[in-house]
């Protein structure tokens, strides 16, 4: 059973009609989407060709197959000089799009049709009458379509068909009945931000080439540190490709803090280092130890209680054992929201032990960090302000589109000292602006994606109170699910080990909903329910329970 208020519940074992929260049929919404994309095309054309030559507003619909497109105009001149000839994708290739000469019109038409495909997919993602997944086995998809890469280019008609096909078989992770992963949902403002950053296509290593994005990362990380509880938001941080990399950053910085000579001389210059984390912690701690040359055997797993929380007395016992063997404890990673149980380690007790033995305290709050946004639930992370570093993934509980993971560090300048290499071709010291905003030298990466804009724009759109409402709703749904199944006939908190995989397979083949399963320790396979999608409702929880019963009634 998961920890109460963790955002999901672990348990053992369609109608949906008349749902008042169903946004309506995809067809009606797609008509709106098509008109919207036409409006984009008209505005873009007006920018390129001037108001006197802009195409007329179109109320037409998107063709079922993207074969050709005709440009129209509102020009009264006869003969008309507007670029209104057919755009026939069957005879056009990528080389006909910008920056090709005369590539503006086909580019606008092509991108408008791509937008139409995307918007139709977005609308379908929220339509409960559509499948979460159109499941096919790998060999079926490989045989049904030709996915191989060729020497010769395909035309734009085929390229648009590839876009449609890819989305046809994509999992609708924004669907209200998708509960499979810790990252679910599809936020419209976050999606818009992702489109914008892809269009800007810049790199986060210097203020020189990403001025606004670098500043937004600065203010957002500072705000997150304030929420953690570090005075004035002091410290440092960076957005990384995911929680596993953020955790590895923490191990890297903790090692450097204790033994700065390791940066130049390597592991041969330092004693045997030992890290500690709970037996329910994320596998990324061992993966990070392997990548950093510390070794997986140097990660000691601490026992957990029946609720999945680290036992502080066992942590202290194992620290003393390591010291007696001549090893050097350098990091304790506590977890705030374990992957399977959703458990929160006792951070205050862990902080006391780390202070006593002068060990770096890291909190992996990749999943549970979002609870800091809720006045009702942030108590579950009491003591996080005493950590030296914190991993926090807004792309999980907070619903920010993938990827968006932050590593926050309490000591300012430590990350820079640990990772900087003074590349003179990139981080010149004679630039005409404040060099502290050139953040690339404190990152492991050189090229770094703009992940902050999604979070920043959503924060501006929702406010902290909006994130709080989102978190509170997810936790309320988790409590609702628990109350339904705790006394329901035919359910146990952990069910027969063969049942969950069979039901999951049937679930995917029907495509009606998705929920994950796994074993843990001596417990057989059980369903792991994840609730982080703001589109989910009580009716979707009811549907899931009924669907599990329907699919497993003969087992």
């Amino acid at each position: 059973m998961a920890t109460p208020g963790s955002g999901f519940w672990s348990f053992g074992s369609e109608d949906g009609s008349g749902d008042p929260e169903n946004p309506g049929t995809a067809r009606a919404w797609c008509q709106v989407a098509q008109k919207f994309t036409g409006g984009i095309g008209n505005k873009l054309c007006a920018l390129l060709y001037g108001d006197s030559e802009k195409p007329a507003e179109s109320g037409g619909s998107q063709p079922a197959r993207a074969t050709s497109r005709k440009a129209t105009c509102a020009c009264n001149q006869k003969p008309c000089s507007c670029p209104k000839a057919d755009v026939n994708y069957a005879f056009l290739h990528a080389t006909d799009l910008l920056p090709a000469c005369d590539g503006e019109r086909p580019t606008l038409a092509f991108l408008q049709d791509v937008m139409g495909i995307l918007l139709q997919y977005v609308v379908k993602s929220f339509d409960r009458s559509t499948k979460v997944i159109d499941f096919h086995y790998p060999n079926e998809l490989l045989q049904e379509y030709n996915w191989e890469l060729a020497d010769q280019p395909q035309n734009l008609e085929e390229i648009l068909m590839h876009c449609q096909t890819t989305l046809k078989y994509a999992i609708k992770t924004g669907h209200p009945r998708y509960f499979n992963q810790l990252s679910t949902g599809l936020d419209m403002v976050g999606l818009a931000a992702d489109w914008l950053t892809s269009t800007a296509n810049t790199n986060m290593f210097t203020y020189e080439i990403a001025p606004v994005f670098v500043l937004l990362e600065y203010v957002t990380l500072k705000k997150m540190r304030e929420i953690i509880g570090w005075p004035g938001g002091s410290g440092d941080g960076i957005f990384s490709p995911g929680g596993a990399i953020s955790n590895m950053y923490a191990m890297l910085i903790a090692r450097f803090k204790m033994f700065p000579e390791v940066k130049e001389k390597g592991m041969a210059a330092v004693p045997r280092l030992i890290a500690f984390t709970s037996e329910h912690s994320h596998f990324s701690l061992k993966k990070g130890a392997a990548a950093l040359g510390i070794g997986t055997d140097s990660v000691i797993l601490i026992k957990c209680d029946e609720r999945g929380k680290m036992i502080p007395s066992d942590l202290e016992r194992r620290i003393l054992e390591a010291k007696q063997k001549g090893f050097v404890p350098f990091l304790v990673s506590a977890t705030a929201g374990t992957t399977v149980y959703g458990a929160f380690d006792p951070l205050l007790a862990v902080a006391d032990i780390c202070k006593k033995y002068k060990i770096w305290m890291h909190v992996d709050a990749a999943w549970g960090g979002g609870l800091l946004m809720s006045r009702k639930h942030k108590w579950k992370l009491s003591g996080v302000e005493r950590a030296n570093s914190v991993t926090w993934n807004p792309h999980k509980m907070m619903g920010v589109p993938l990827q968006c993971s932050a590593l926050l560090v309490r000591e300012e300048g430590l990350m820079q000292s640990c990772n900087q290499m003074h590349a003179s071709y990139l981080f010149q010291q004679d630039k005409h602006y404040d060099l502290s905003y050139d953040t690339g030298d404190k990152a492991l990466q050189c090229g770094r994606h703009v992940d902050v804009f999604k979070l920043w724009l959503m924060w501006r759109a929702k406010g902290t109170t909006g994130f709080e409402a989102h978190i509170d709703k997810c936790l309320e749904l988790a409590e609702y699910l628990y109350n339904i199944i705790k006394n329901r006939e035919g359910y146990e908190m952990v069910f027969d080990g063969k049942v969950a995989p069979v039901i999951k397979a049937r679930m995917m083949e029907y495509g009606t909903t998705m929920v994950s399963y796994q074993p843990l320790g001596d417990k057989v396979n059980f369903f792991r329910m994840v609730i982080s999608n703001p589109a989910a409702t009580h009716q979707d929880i009811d549907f899931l329970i009924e669907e599990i019963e329907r699919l497993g009634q003969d087992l």
Side-chain angles (χ1 to χ4, degrees):
M1 183 179 74
T3 304
S6 64
F8 55 77
W9 295 93
S10 303
F11 57 95
S13 71
E14 166 170 49
D15 51 15
S17 60
D19 184 352
E21 296 187 66
N22 192 319
T25 65
R27 179 180 299 176
W29 281 95
C30 285
Q31 290 175 354
V32 175
Q34 289 155 7
K35 292 180 180 179
F36 176 65
T37 55
I40 291 177
N42 291 329
K43 292 176 182 178
L44 290 174
C45 286
L47 287 173
L48 285 173
Y49 301 116
D51 289 338
S52 64
E53 296 182 344
K54 68 180 180 181
E57 294 289 338
S58 173
S61 60
Q62 186 76 18
R65 282 177 53 88
T67 54
S68 65
R69 185 184 187 89
K70 292 185 178 180
T72 59
C73 72
C75 182
N76 293 322
Q77 300 176 9
K78 301 295 180 182
C80 177
S81 60
C82 297
K84 61 179 183 179
D86 287 352
V87 177
N88 193 328
Y89 294 134
F91 297 98
L92 293 174
H93 294 79
T95 51
D96 295 305
L97 304 177
L98 289 173
C101 182
D102 297 325
E104 295 94 336
R105 182 170 50 81
T107 297
L108 291 175
F110 174 72
L111 291 180
Q112 185 175 337
D113 282 342
V114 171
M115 182 66 73
I117 293 170
L118 295 177
L119 291 178
Q120 289 182 41
Y121 179 81
V122 168
V123 171
K124 287 181 180 178
S125 292
F126 292 93
D127 186 348
R128 288 171 175 81
S129 69
T130 64
K131 291 184 176 182
V132 176
I133 172 178
D134 185 356
F135 180 77
H136 287 65
Y137 288 96
N139 63 316
E140 294 175 337
L141 280 181
L142 286 172
Q143 293 172 6
E144 188 170 351
Y145 296 95
N146 177 16
W147 306 99
E148 298 301 321
L149 299 173
D151 293 335
Q152 299 303 314
Q154 291 187 314
N155 60 48
L156 293 183
E157 177 184 353
E158 294 169 308
I159 297 304
L160 285 171
M161 292 305 298
H162 291 325
C163 292
Q164 293 174 326
T165 301
T166 301
L167 287 180
K168 172 179 170 58
Y169 297 108
I171 311 299
K172 296 185 182 70
T173 58
H175 198 288
R177 291 170 180 167
Y178 175 83
F179 305 105
N180 206 68
Q181 246 59 53
L182 299 185
S183 51
T184 67
L186 184 59
D187 185 90
M188 297 301 99
V189 173
L191 178 62
D194 224 359
W195 288 348
L196 186 147
T197 53
S198 293
T199 303
N201 192 33
T202 193
N203 205 314
M204 284 294 290
F205 42 55
T206 64
Y207 178 86
E208 178 181 342
I209 63 167
V212 176
F213 295 135
V214 165
L215 294 179
L216 295 184
E217 184 173 68
Y218 170 80
V219 299
T220 303
L221 290 172
K222 183 174 184 290
K223 182 67 173 180
M224 295 174 78
R225 293 193 297 265
E226 289 176 357
I227 291 173
I228 287 172
W230 296 334
S234 61
D236 207 340
I238 202 164
F239 283 92
S240 82
I245 302 300
S246 291
N247 287 339
M248 187 171 71
Y249 266 120
M251 301 183 80
L252 180 70
I253 298 167
R255 182 179 66 176
F256 177 82
K257 175 67 175 179
M258 186 172 286
F259 296 102
E261 62 269 26
V262 74
K263 181 177 179 180
E264 288 81 22
K265 298 179 180 178
M267 286 298 294
V270 300
R272 172 79 179 274
L273 301 179
I274 302 295
F276 305 86
T277 190
S278 89
E279 59 185 347
H280 287 195
S281 65
H282 195 261
F283 68 89
S284 58
L285 273 298
K286 284 198 170 186
K287 181 171 284 191
L292 297 177
I294 297 169
T296 58
D297 289 346
S298 295
V299 179
I300 305 300
L301 301 182
I302 308 303
K303 292 180 181 178
C304 294
D305 62 19
E306 71 280 359
R307 304 300 294 273
K309 300 180 179 183
M310 182 191 292
I311 301 174
S313 60
D314 191 56
L315 171 63
E316 187 164 19
R317 179 180 69 84
R318 300 305 297 270
I319 288 174
L320 291 173
E321 283 182 359
K323 291 172 71 70
Q324 289 169 1
K325 293 177 181 178
F327 303 152
V328 178
F330 82 107
L331 175 137
V332 174
S333 179
T335 310
T338 59
T339 304
V340 179
Y341 278 11
F344 287 73
D345 288 339
L347 302 184
L348 287 170
V350 172
D352 289 340
I353 293 172
C354 289
K355 180 180 179 180
K356 180 178 180 179
Y357 295 102
K358 296 181 173 59
I359 303 174
W360 183 282
M361 178 183 174
H362 175 64
V363 176
D364 178 4
W367 172 226
L371 269 64
L372 290 168
M373 308 293 282
S374 169
R375 287 167 291 184
K376 182 178 180 181
H377 297 289
K378 66 181 180 181
W379 64 267
K380 296 179 178 68
L381 290 97
S382 294
V384 68
E385 71 280 358
R386 296 176 62 185
N388 298 96
S389 58
V390 177
T391 291
W392 180 352
N393 285 11
H395 70 226
K396 290 184 176 174
M397 180 60 76
M398 293 170 65
V400 177
L402 284 163
Q403 62 192 29
C404 189
S405 173
L407 186 276
L408 296 312
V409 182
R410 188 166 64 184
E411 182 177 338
E412 186 175 359
L414 187 59
M415 177 177 275
Q416 182 84 6
S417 299
C418 177
N419 296 322
Q420 67 182 353
M421 289 295 160
H422 303 289
S424 60
Y425 67 90
L426 189 59
F427 306 112
Q428 302 93 333
Q429 297 303 298
D430 55 354
K431 293 181 179 180
H432 62 290
Y433 58 81
D434 185 349
L435 297 180
S436 66
Y437 292 104
D438 282 0
T439 57
D441 214 10
K442 68 181 178 184
L444 289 176
Q445 305 162 257
C446 181
R448 189 161 64 91
H449 187 260
V450 177
D451 292 329
V452 66
F453 190 64
K454 295 170 289 192
L455 173 58
W456 180 86
L457 199 64
M458 285 178 62
W459 210 324
R460 297 282 286 199
K462 297 162 72 79
T464 304
T465 57
F467 278 123
E468 179 180 41
H470 165 68
I471 299 298
D472 290 349
K473 177 186 175 182
C474 291
L475 273 290
E476 188 276 327
L477 285 175
E479 192 73 23
Y480 175 77
L481 172 62
Y482 172 74
N483 290 330
I484 287 178
I485 65 173
K486 65 179 180 180
N487 296 317
R488 193 180 182 103
E489 183 179 356
Y491 283 83
E492 297 179 19
M493 285 304 167
V494 176
F495 209 47
D496 187 287
K498 294 181 181 180
V499 171
V502 174
I503 293 178
K504 172 63 178 288
R506 295 175 179 179
M507 193 180 286
M508 292 183 68
E509 289 171 355
Y510 277 96
T512 52
T513 186
M514 281 185 73
V515 62
S516 183
Y517 73 86
Q518 68 281 303
L520 185 70
D522 60 352
K523 294 179 175 60
V524 296
N525 280 313
F526 57 89
F527 286 117
R528 180 194 68 167
M529 180 66 176
V530 176
I531 302 177
S532 61
N533 188 343
T537 65
H538 290 154
Q539 289 87 349
D540 297 314
I541 302 298
D542 294 338
F543 175 86
L544 174 72
I545 298 298
E546 293 166 4
E547 190 71 346
I548 288 174
E549 292 177 349
R550 181 181 75 85
L551 296 173
Q553 61 184 343
D554 62 330
L555 297 178

